[in-house]
Amino acid sequence: VETKASLIALYVADLEQRATQLSEQPGIMASRGEVDPSTVGFPDASRIALIPLDDLGTVNLSPGDPGVKSHIDIDIVRRAFAGDAPQPEFVALDEGSYTLFARGLGTPVYSVLVIEVANDRLEKLVANRGEGQYRIVQALSGRATTVAGTLAGAAAASAAISGTPWNLEFIPDPQWLRSAQPSWLGLYLPIGLAVMGLLLGIIVLRRSASAIVASE
């Protein structure tokens, strides 16, 4: 579980780094409104928008404003406007779900870049390849939301995904678990052979010693 959680963390960290780099490009800093992801080298993004802010900053933002779809969007935009580099957050709406990244533009911040990334890659990273079922869970404000995965019910193991408010949960497939566990034969056969070899060595040593004594 820890290994897969690390892979997911690396993927998210790469997206964050690219979001930061994009926010520092002169062409983006001069842009307004929607930006075509294919024109800025961010094919993972399903949507990129710039939210210009006036003297009131984020005070008057509400869902439905240009570039803003939900209260989670507003919260992450506010943190970016305050100069933070907020962690990505999963947003689930009736019209679809996505992971949201946000970065402030300028010093002081005069606009916020928001990037929506579809969860297709995350779904592939947690796909069941025979070992069992996975689930990425976002826990914020006491509420747990499934980000990706097919696991239903209680997990057998979990690991934090670094740099995100997410945990990776896992339950093994019983058949895979049986095949992964060593059989009694596989576990004890090497031990038995080693003991037999040791006993044979002792017997040979004793016989050699007896032969030496008898010849004197």
Side-chain angles (χ1 to χ4, degrees):
V1 180
E2 287 80 5
T3 300
K4 190 174 285 288
S6 297
L7 289 175
I8 296 170
L10 286 174
Y11 167 65
V12 175
D14 176 66
L15 291 175
E16 287 197 287
Q17 182 180 14
R18 288 158 60 194
T20 299
Q21 292 172 345
L22 183 59
S23 70
E24 296 169 349
Q25 291 183 10
I28 285 292
M29 297 181 73
S31 300
R32 294 290 185 273
E34 300 278 337
V35 176
D36 185 349
S38 64
T39 64
V40 292
F42 211 125
D44 305 78
S46 55
R47 178 173 172 268
I48 296 177
L50 290 111
I51 303 174
L53 300 167
D54 55 23
D55 293 338
L56 294 176
T58 61
V59 172
N60 293 326
L61 284 181
S62 61
D65 290 346
V68 180
K69 293 183 176 180
S70 70
H71 290 289
I72 294 178
D73 293 50
I74 295 172
D75 179 64
I76 201 170
V77 166
R78 283 176 175 164
R79 281 181 280 146
F81 181 69
D84 296 337
Q87 291 183 334
E89 291 189 26
F90 173 72
V91 182
L93 302 174
D94 291 339
E95 58 268 31
S97 59
Y98 53 89
T99 298
L100 185 67
F101 299 80
R103 291 294 183 270
L105 304 184
T107 305
V109 176
Y110 62 88
S111 183
V112 172
L113 171 72
V114 293
I115 301 172
E116 295 178 9
V117 177
N119 286 354
D120 298 352
R121 180 72 181 276
L122 288 176
E123 291 288 357
K124 290 180 180 179
L125 286 172
V126 298
N128 182 357
R129 292 177 172 81
E131 72 274 27
Q133 294 183 322
Y134 293 92
R135 173 176 62 205
I136 299 175
V137 177
Q138 175 173 279
L140 290 173
S141 303
R143 180 181 179 184
T145 306
T146 298
V147 176
T150 59
L151 171 60
S158 66
I161 299 174
S162 177
T164 74
W166 301 344
N167 281 326
L168 178 64
E169 298 181 344
F170 172 69
I171 186 168
D173 179 85
Q175 184 174 353
W176 175 86
L177 191 60
R178 285 192 296 270
S179 65
Q181 291 176 336
S183 65
W184 288 105
L185 179 62
L187 181 63
Y188 288 110
L189 182 58
I191 298 175
L193 291 174
V195 171
M196 289 177 62
L198 180 61
L199 291 174
L200 287 173
I202 293 173
I203 292 171
V204 171
L205 184 62
R206 285 182 175 178
R207 286 180 177 177
S208 299
S210 298
I212 294 173
V213 170
S215 65
E216 292 182 351

